[in-house]
Amino acid sequence: MAYDYDPENVFAKILRGEIPNDTVLETEHSLAFRDIAPQTPTHVLVIPKGPYVSYDHFALEATEAEIVDFTRTIGAICKMMGVQPSEGGGGFRMISNAGEDAIQEVPHLHFHILAGRPLGRILTPA
Ligand code: AMP
């Protein structure tokens, strides 16, 4: 089944400049901005500018330039936020929810970069 991208999702509106965002970094193919309802002291969302619903969509259909840019942007954000364990930061967690079971609220690929406090275990037993 083909991926069905909804151009009216909130991140598409941010990319078109129709609603504001708190940008941390913008590159040719990616945008990083602060989550409107932060769950941790550092909570940044990184999105590709292209119309990809989820990470599997992006991984299968994005161009190599988009993939490299997106990956490097995530690295740059970790550096800018000072969370890299190798540099004395406390570390971070990166989450990308996809679809119903993961409770993806916005159907435009995004990675959450979460940091700034102990984060606990990622999942609890069902
Ligand atoms: P998810 O459940 O993984 O789809 O996460 C969606 C995230 O987008 C949530 O953490 C929201 O707080 C965040 N969010 C929704 N609208 C905005 C917005 N206008 N600006 C920044 N973050 C937003």
Side-chain angles (χ1 to χ4, degrees), residues 36-96:
I36 202 166
Q39 304 293 314
T40 50
T42 295
H43 188 168
V44 176
L45 301 173
V46 186
I47 69 173
K49 291 182 177 176
Y52 302 103
V53 176
S54 54
Y55 190 70
D56 54 304
H57 186 192
F58 182 75
L60 289 168
E61 296 189 5
T63 65
E64 291 190 10
E66 288 175 311
I67 291 169
V68 169
D69 181 296
F70 186 65
T71 304
R72 296 282 192 216
T73 299
I74 290 169
I77 290 299
C78 292
K79 196 169 180 177
M80 285 172 72
M81 297 292 119
V83 301
Q84 295 167 284
S86 61
E87 301 296 323
F92 62 95
R93 179 167 294 149
M94 211 166 83
I95 296 174
S96 185

Side-chain angles (χ1 to χ4, degrees), residues 10-11 14 19-22 33-39 43 45 95-99 102-112 114:
V10 66
F11 294 169
I14 284 177
I19 57 174
N21 75 94
D22 187 357
F33 53 98
R34 293 188 191 277
D35 195 292
I36 202 166
Q39 304 293 314
H43 188 168
L45 301 173
I95 296 174
S96 185
N97 296 312
I103 316 181
Q104 180 181 8
E105 289 174 4
V106 181
H108 181 113
L109 168 61
H110 50 284
F111 269 82
H112 299 253
L114 301 152

